[in-house]
Amino acid sequence: MWRLANLYKCGIYVALSINYRKPSKVVINYVCKYLIFFYVCILYRMYVYILFCNFCKIIIFKNNGRERSEGPEVLLGALPVAAVKMSPSLFNFVDVKDKFTVSVAARHALTGKTCKPLVTSFNQIPGNETEKKTTLDQALRGVLGDQIVISSSVSTFFLLCFLVFAGICSATTPFVLLGDVLDCLPLDLCDKIFSFVEENVSTWKSNSFYSAGKNYLLRMCNDLLRRLSKSQNTVFCGRIQLFLARLFPLSEKSGLNLQSQFNLENVTVFNKNELESTLGQKSTNEKEEGMEVEEGEMGEEDAPAQSSIPIDYNLYRKFWTLQDYFRNPVQCYDKFLWMTFLKFSDETLAVFKSYKLDDMQASKRKLDELRGSDGEHVYFAKFLTSEKLMDLQLSDSNFRRHILLQYLILFQYLKGQVKFKSSNCVLNDDQTTWIEETTKLVYQLLKEIPPDGDKFASMVEHILDTEENWNGWKNEGCPSFVKESDELTRLWNLNSDNMEACKSDSRSAFLMTPFFAEAIEQADPVNMVEDEYKVVRNPNYGWRALRLLSRRSPHFFQPTNQKFKSLADYLDSMVSKLAKELPDIPSEEIKTGEDDDDDNGDNLLKESNDSPSIQSKAVTNQQMDDIAAKLGARWKMLASHLEMKAAELREIETDSEDVEMQAKLLLVAWQDREGTQATVESLVTALNAAGFPQIADSLSEA
């Protein structure tokens, strides 16, 4: 319709251009049609606008959460009427806000620091939860904001937290109010308010607040950092940065320098005009009146003694020019700039190498100057580049460490693999060789700087080594440290009660005898099983065997001087020992093959089996457990009769703190040493000699 009106309008222009002196009937006809369509379009737009407004009223105005009774057909029928009459809403925002603001409940909540009156008043007001929460948020924003500005108290925020937990206040209200208050208060009061924010970081990380308030807290901290001076409010800025580091997880994208950008605004300003330099000039006795002294500088009467380091303007300029390379390491990939860096670095490091710090007098003098009258340490966020301080700086151990550490950080970046490096940022062989040699020189200089140079150098080297892990994590796109494992989730959900599942009999399925039966059988030379086909060569079997031995065999923790080349060799030795202890598998079935005369060995084993005397039998694992339980803390009385050395006793005490386990380890060590001679008869003799006849009798009767 609107297009038809425009079409008639064009027709009017065409007709007038053809016959502009006298309007024809065609022109009059076009004009009439244009006016008709124009007014019809206006009426149609008014109709759509009224319809839209009425539907919006249906959505917004509700009666206790239910839509109003007026349906679309009533509104459509009322469209020709000039005004549409709606029944008044039962919820009045202004009245409810006034009730929250000036009510006794609100005043009592502020003075008594309790949210119960507000909760009662909240439940008595008609309306849905969303409307009441929005109204209470606005009322609290006004009342509590004034209260904090007047008293500068943080106790009000505790009340807000209780209201959030009670469910009558939005989770974003404390953060919105915090932002408003910090924007209004001066910096000294902001420091007090921010202390409350720091102390309750665990509250902000809870499920009730984190998702709703993390963006508000980030915006609030950034606003504070913009107001603070990096040189005057350094400590406050650091507290804000530490708070953000504690609040957000390590993989939070907003806190990561993903593209490895540098802070190019960190420019070190120094005197670049040699004509204005005062280095090398003789100091005058007279001092000009009214001459201002730069902060950090000294007057003529405070001038230091003659320096042992020859300092001129060239050294001063070259030394401070290096800071620009530390600020932007990409310059080192430029050939011309690299030659400048190479030349200046060689001269600077030559000064450090030639003039070493043998005492701490200069450092102590500089430290005394940096201390104020009250003894507090003064921290400078930037280097002081005054020419008059050059002598003290080069003689200060901490200053030298700062410079040398900057070199190491720069070299690590130049040699490292950074994802966002340009393809042109590649070192040639000469650059790589120079960096490696200079790195060794820097570490050597760090070791020579007192105090504790060796310890400081090793600590720096360790930190830079661990930094490689951080660089690798950044190159991978900073993935989350939380690893999702479907298999672990399945295992965790196998049983509703995990503690009962740990006590299940199925977890004890790997018993000593059936598990090692095959390995013991293969260890018998009669079976002629080649080593490569033995189960002890299987890595999976070896892992399960070690786990079972650590839980059920004392041989696993027994120290030995025997060296094993592989896990299979160790398991072969353990299998030979277990064959003597396991009751279901007689030890005589395992032959070591060490005897020259196999027939004689078979006869000895046969005679041993045919002998009815139990004293000639080896001591079993069960017998050693029983004896260890009876001995307890008295096991050392038996140790001397078993001819155990003092070093072996100390090893036993170190391996375990349980007295029963120590007694068991004593018997195992004795059995390993004696071998086949560790019989019941010899143990009974030792027990009787140590004064344990009852234990000896029980062993003989077993």
Side-chain angles (χ1 to χ4, degrees), residues 159-218:
L159 176 63
L160 280 176
C161 296
F162 288 131
L163 293 177
V164 173
F165 289 126
I168 66 173
C169 177
S170 300
T172 58
T173 302
F175 307 107
V176 173
L177 184 58
L178 270 173
D180 294 343
V181 171
L182 292 177
D183 289 340
C184 299
L185 293 179
L187 292 178
D188 55 344
L189 295 180
C190 289
D191 195 341
K192 298 180 181 179
I193 299 296
F194 191 77
S195 299
F196 164 79
V197 180
E198 286 179 304
E199 295 170 358
N200 293 274
V201 63
S202 58
T203 302
W204 313 136
K205 294 175 68 173
S206 62
N207 296 331
S208 302
F209 290 97
Y210 183 74
S211 59
K214 62 178 183 179
N215 293 331
Y216 287 95
L217 288 173
L218 180 60

Side-chain angles (χ1 to χ4, degrees), residues 116-379:
K116 291 182 179 179
L118 276 177
V119 174
T120 304
S121 179
F122 182 87
N123 295 329
Q124 292 176 354
I125 295 176
N128 58 37
E129 297 294 325
T130 305
E131 291 173 340
K132 292 192 293 183
K133 280 187 178 182
T134 304
T135 308
L136 181 58
D137 292 344
Q138 294 297 325
L140 290 174
R141 190 172 182 179
V143 176
L144 300 183
D146 296 338
Q147 183 74 13
I148 293 175
V149 171
I150 294 173
S151 61
S152 300
S153 175
V154 297
S155 59
T156 310
F157 288 108
F158 288 107
L159 176 63
L160 280 176
C161 296
F162 288 131
L163 293 177
V164 173
F165 289 126
I168 66 173
C169 177
S170 300
T172 58
T173 302
F175 307 107
V176 173
L177 184 58
L178 270 173
D180 294 343
V181 171
L182 292 177
D183 289 340
C184 299
L185 293 179
L187 292 178
D188 55 344
L189 295 180
C190 289
D191 195 341
K192 298 180 181 179
I193 299 296
F194 191 77
S195 299
F196 164 79
V197 180
E198 286 179 304
E199 295 170 358
N200 293 274
V201 63
S202 58
T203 302
W204 313 136
K205 294 175 68 173
S206 62
N207 296 331
S208 302
F209 290 97
Y210 183 74
S211 59
K214 62 178 183 179
N215 293 331
Y216 287 95
L217 288 173
L218 180 60
R219 189 182 304 113
M220 178 190 69
C221 292
N222 289 333
D223 292 341
L224 272 178
L225 290 174
R226 294 188 191 98
R227 294 174 58 189
L228 296 172
S229 172
K230 294 182 179 179
S231 59
Q232 300 297 327
N233 307 108
T234 309
V235 177
F236 197 0
C237 293
R239 287 170 54 196
I240 295 175
Q241 297 289 356
L242 288 175
F243 167 74
L244 292 175
R246 294 170 58 194
L247 176 66
F248 292 100
L250 193 61
S251 57
E252 175 66 28
K253 302 297 183 182
S254 61
L256 297 173
N257 184 14
L258 294 176
Q259 297 183 358
S260 301
Q261 298 177 349
F262 300 100
N263 182 19
L264 301 180
E265 298 178 358
N266 184 24
V267 179
T268 302
V269 180
F270 61 95
N271 181 21
K272 298 182 180 180
N273 189 354
E274 185 176 2
L275 299 177
E276 299 178 358
S277 174
T278 59
L279 289 172
Q281 299 180 3
K282 295 182 179 180
S283 59
T284 59
N285 297 328
E286 297 179 359
K287 184 177 179 180
E288 298 182 2
E289 296 181 359
M291 181 178 179
E292 296 182 357
V293 180
E294 183 180 348
E295 181 182 359
E297 295 183 355
M298 298 176 298
E300 295 294 338
E301 65 277 5
D302 299 328
Q306 185 66 28
S307 172
S308 60
I309 303 176
I311 301 175
D312 55 6
Y313 178 76
N314 288 330
L315 177 61
Y316 169 83
R317 178 180 60 85
K318 294 175 182 178
F319 180 83
W320 290 115
T321 301
L322 292 173
Q323 292 298 319
D324 192 58
Y325 292 90
F326 298 145
R327 176 183 66 94
N328 187 14
V330 181
Q331 299 179 91
C332 295
Y333 293 106
D334 184 87
K335 294 183 179 179
F336 177 76
L337 296 177
W338 170 259
M339 296 304 298
T340 304
F341 171 76
L342 188 67
K343 179 181 178 182
F344 291 178
S345 297
D346 288 340
E347 295 186 16
T348 300
L349 295 176
V351 172
F352 284 4
K353 185 177 181 180
S354 302
Y355 300 93
K356 300 178 181 179
L357 302 179
D358 297 332
D359 55 63
M360 295 298 297
Q361 293 180 358
S363 298
K364 292 180 179 179
R365 181 175 55 188
K366 179 64 180 297
L367 183 62
D368 294 338
E369 293 172 358
L370 293 179
R371 293 186 182 277
S373 58
D374 55 353
E376 294 184 358
H377 185 72
V378 181
Y379 174 75

Side-chain angles (χ1 to χ4, degrees), residues 42 136 140 149 252 285 421 438 457 471 484 523 574 605 653 691:
I42 293 177
L136 181 58
L140 290 174
V149 171
E252 175 66 28
N285 297 328
K421 268 187 181 180
T438 309
N471 294 336
E484 298 292 340
M574 297 298 294
L605 288 174
E653 292 177 341

Side-chain angles (χ1 to χ4, degrees), residues 5 29 63 80 83 131 182 199 242 295 300 355 371 410 412 505 515 546 577 581:
N29 187 21
N63 182 15
E131 291 173 340
L182 292 177
E199 295 170 358
L242 288 175
E295 181 182 359
E300 295 294 338
Y355 300 93
R371 293 186 182 277
L410 173 65
Q412 186 184 50
D505 296 337
F515 184 82
L546 289 177
K577 295 179 180 179
E581 299 179 0

Side-chain angles (χ1 to χ4, degrees), residues 369-509:
E369 293 172 358
L370 293 179
R371 293 186 182 277
S373 58
D374 55 353
E376 294 184 358
H377 185 72
V378 181
Y379 174 75
F380 295 98
K382 287 286 295 179
F383 286 122
L384 299 177
T385 59
S386 173
E387 298 175 352
K388 298 179 180 180
L389 294 175
M390 193 69 179
D391 170 36
L392 290 175
Q393 288 172 332
L394 294 180
S395 301
D396 182 48
S397 60
N398 291 330
F399 183 81
R400 286 199 180 192
R401 285 173 174 175
H402 289 166
I403 302 301
L404 295 176
L405 185 56
Q406 284 181 310
Y407 271 108
L408 295 177
I409 295 174
L410 173 65
F411 293 161
Q412 186 184 50
Y413 172 79
L414 295 178
K415 295 187 301 182
Q417 299 294 330
V418 181
K419 182 179 181 180
F420 292 95
K421 268 187 181 180
S422 175
S423 58
N424 300 327
C425 297
V426 180
L427 297 174
N428 55 37
D429 296 337
D430 295 337
Q431 290 175 321
T432 304
T433 303
W434 183 86
I435 288 176
E436 292 177 355
E437 295 176 353
T438 309
T439 301
K440 297 179 181 178
L441 175 61
V442 170
Y443 276 116
Q444 183 62 32
L445 293 175
L446 284 175
K447 294 178 180 179
E448 296 174 354
I449 297 177
D452 301 327
D454 293 335
K455 185 183 297 184
F456 182 83
S458 61
M459 179 184 64
V460 170
E461 186 176 8
H462 174 71
I463 292 174
L464 293 179
D465 288 341
T466 57
E467 190 73 10
E468 294 293 340
N469 299 329
W470 175 267
N471 294 336
W473 178 68
K474 295 277 291 286
N475 290 335
E476 295 174 0
C478 305
S480 177
F481 289 99
V482 179
K483 301 298 183 181
E484 298 292 340
S485 176
D486 297 336
E487 184 63 21
L488 290 178
T489 303
R490 184 188 67 82
L491 294 175
W492 186 260
N493 296 324
L494 284 177
N495 195 307
S496 57
D497 191 348
N498 291 315
M499 295 303 298
E500 291 297 329
C502 293
K503 300 176 182 178
S504 175
D505 296 337
S506 60
R507 292 183 58 84
S508 303

Side-chain angles (χ1 to χ4, degrees), residues 512 515-516 536 538-553 555-557 566-572 574 578:
M512 295 286 289
F515 184 82
F516 286 100
V536 294
N538 187 348
N540 294 330
Y541 181 88
W543 181 83
R544 291 194 296 269
L546 289 177
R547 184 182 178 203
L548 187 60
L549 288 171
S550 65
R551 302 182 64 179
R552 297 183 180 274
S553 175
H555 295 292
F556 184 82
F557 299 100
S566 63
L567 175 61
D569 296 338
Y570 172 76
L571 291 178
D572 282 335
M574 297 298 294
L578 292 175

